[in-house]
Amino acid sequence: MGSPINNRAFFPCQEPPVAMSTWQATVRAAASFVVLMSGENSAKPTQLREGCSSWHYYVTMPMPASTFTIAVGSWTEVKPETCSLRDLAAKRTLSPPEADFRCVGVCGHVAYPCRFQNPSATTQEVIPHRAFAPVSLTGACQETLLQLLSPCLSAAHSVLGTHPFSRLDVLIVPANFPSLGMASPHLVFLSQSALTGGRHLCGTRLCHEIAHAWFGLAIGARDWTEEWLSEGFATHLEDVFWAKAQQLAPHEAQEQQELRASLRWRRLQDELRNSPEQLQVLRPNKEKTGHVSDSGSSVIKHGLNPEKVFMQVHYLKGYFLLRFLAKRLGDDTYFSFLRKFVHTFHGQLILSQDFLQMLLENIPEEKRSCGSWAMCFPLRRG
Ligand SMILES: [Zn+2]
């Protein structure tokens, strides 16, 4: 992942998220190695000479350099064991959209071939995907991950609509990876701990990473102290996607979501009791959020604080805020607003205000009574 080192070890780039760019790379590696990268094409190796292969990846959608990720290792592509699974996957994965749709003047972002304006992309429930893992985990991947990918991708599409990215690689990373998962454009790292932790853990984590395609990647934070825009949404959406992927009846989904909310509430209370108050704040830059210095640099408060990594505040307070809004507005109103929000802001970087403002504009009756719930809005307290 380039983000912890601002990608400067990989290629010359600009630090602030607003300096978005496209990229492409040709990577040479020993033929026994697999090269995966944030790229919209499912690259296959080309043999250069005996024992040496070349992989080419590219993106056409400009994104912050911090979202770029590359992985090189000794893995194998895991394929379904039985024909029926493969048939099912083939049936549900429509052929990739062919036409080059440039939504000049239609979307709010700079011009690139945008899936939101491409009719064959908007109806694609399941995007093409591959899974990679060490050979020793092939069986575990076939038993859990491969069974979950299509239902989870399809669930995400049923909630949010168009998949912002045309394809997805999922790579199983070692259990010592610093988190259970990590999403980058076209590439998700899933920890071995999640893979072997049972269907439920694997499914919820996969749903969380899939949600980042919309929140965190297609819509990024203009100021990374507003990490909740990525993690709060993904945490809230993982429950919603997972309930749909399991095809739970409404009362079962609610029961499962209440249980998870209760566990998260305990976790948040523990954190509030046992962490420095200055780290419990969602927007540490407060009114300076989104400010860029004259030289163009932006500072991420607590960015170098080692304790910050262990904090769940952006996940949990963000999650409880969104859960509150969904309950307050009703699922139908909230999720139809969310689809509208994604349609408006994909391909762009936002601040909390963009979300709040559009929400207030679109929910007139809420706007009238906003005083009552703005009091509960964690953003007000930071
Ligand atoms: Zn667009």
Side-chain angles (χ1 to χ4, degrees):
M1 301 174 291
S3 49
I5 48 172
N6 291 323
N7 284 65
R8 286 174 176 186
F10 290 148
F11 50 81
C13 61
Q14 301 292 332
E15 231 168 61
V18 285
M20 297 201 282
S21 67
T22 57
W23 53 73
Q24 58 175 316
T26 301
V27 185
R28 284 190 295 269
S32 59
F33 284 75
V34 168
V35 177
L36 304 175
M37 205 183 99
S38 304
E40 65 195 48
N41 58 316
S42 294
K44 296 219 158 51
T46 321
Q47 193 177 346
L48 287 180
R49 54 175 192 277
E50 188 66 34
C52 182
S53 297
S54 153
W55 303 66
H56 179 77
Y57 284 98
Y58 66 89
V59 295
T60 51
M61 173 181 172
M63 285 172 282
S66 62
T67 63
F68 174 91
T69 293
I70 185 167
V72 184
S74 193
W75 303 302
T76 185
E77 183 178 351
V78 185
K79 301 207 166 150
E81 204 174 15
T82 59
C83 291
S84 61
L85 240 178
R86 193 174 305 167
D87 291 346
L88 188 68
K91 206 158 61 181
R92 300 186 71 177
T93 307
L94 302 177
S95 54
E98 286 160 19
D100 179 357
F101 279 79
R102 287 185 181 268
C103 50
V104 188
V106 179
C107 294
H109 55 72
V110 297
Y112 64 79
C114 174
R115 290 175 53 83
F116 286 82
Q117 302 302 332
N118 181 343
S120 64
T122 53
T123 53
Q124 193 177 30
E125 287 175 38
V126 179
I127 49 172
H129 48 271
R130 306 184 292 187
F132 292 86
V135 180
S136 59
L137 293 174
T138 306
C141 280
Q142 284 167 335
E143 272 164 38
T144 46
L145 179 62
L146 286 192
Q147 315 276 344
L148 293 170
L149 265 164
S150 282
C152 293
L153 285 166
S154 172
H157 181 272
S158 74
V159 177
L160 292 181
T162 315
H163 286 279
F165 297 96
S166 57
R167 65 164 204 106
L168 179 67
D169 281 339
V170 177
L171 171 67
I172 302 301
V173 291
N176 66 351
F177 188 72
S179 69
L180 284 176
M182 175 76 199
S184 307
H186 309 282
L187 179 57
V188 159
F189 291 168
L190 196 65
S191 168
Q192 190 180 325
S193 307
L195 177 71
T196 53
R199 188 171 169 272
H200 194 75
L201 180 62
C202 188
T204 49
R205 200 60 210 194
L206 188 60
C207 286
H208 183 99
E209 303 311 332
I210 288 172
H212 277 313
W214 286 266
F215 292 96
L217 296 171
I219 301 174
R222 187 135 53 91
D223 179 325
W224 271 108
T225 55
E226 294 209 286
E227 198 184 333
W228 83 274
L229 289 168
S230 174
E231 298 305 348
F233 280 90
T235 305
H236 185 239
L237 287 166
E238 73 177 60
D239 291 2
V240 181
F241 291 1
W242 182 232
K244 290 211 183 271
Q246 296 170 97
Q247 300 182 314
L248 294 184
H251 72 278
E252 291 172 315
Q254 200 194 346
E255 205 171 76
Q256 204 174 83
Q257 287 170 8
E258 293 295 331
L259 178 62
R260 302 201 81 206
S262 145
L263 294 169
R264 288 183 181 122
W265 181 245
R266 287 188 198 187
R267 170 85 198 248
L268 181 58
Q269 281 178 313
D270 283 346
E271 189 168 295
L272 294 180
R273 271 195 293 267
N274 298 304
S275 61
E277 214 176 310
Q278 54 155 343
L279 285 177
Q280 299 171 10
V281 175
L282 273 186
R283 301 173 73 227
N285 285 348
K286 299 203 167 68
E287 66 280 4
K288 290 210 173 91
T289 302
H291 269 222
V292 174
S293 76
D294 290 343
S295 68
S297 70
S298 54
V299 174
I300 300 180
K301 200 165 183 182
H302 306 306
L304 292 173
N305 186 336
E307 278 181 83
K308 165 70 182 64
V309 185
F310 299 101
M311 299 289 291
Q312 293 279 304
V313 57
H314 296 89
Y315 293 76
L316 297 176
K317 281 189 181 173
Y319 157 81
F320 280 111
L321 167 64
L322 298 171
R323 181 179 150 85
F324 168 78
L325 291 175
K327 279 203 159 185
R328 173 78 197 220
L329 305 175
D331 278 356
D332 289 349
T333 310
Y334 175 73
F335 287 109
S336 91
F337 164 73
L338 213 54
R339 282 189 289 276
K340 195 172 171 190
F341 180 75
V342 163
H343 216 267
T344 306
F345 283 103
H346 69 272
Q348 299 175 66
L349 301 170
I350 61 162
L351 297 174
S352 295
Q353 294 92 304
D354 296 313
F355 176 72
L356 181 57
Q357 194 180 333
M358 188 171 162
L359 183 76
L360 292 171
E361 280 167 6
N362 278 266
I363 318 282
E365 64 271 33
E366 286 299 317
K367 195 173 183 177
R368 279 196 293 276
S369 62
C370 68
S372 62
W373 63 264
M375 296 292 285
C376 311
F377 219 80
L379 301 176
R380 295 283 295 253
R381 297 191 295 121

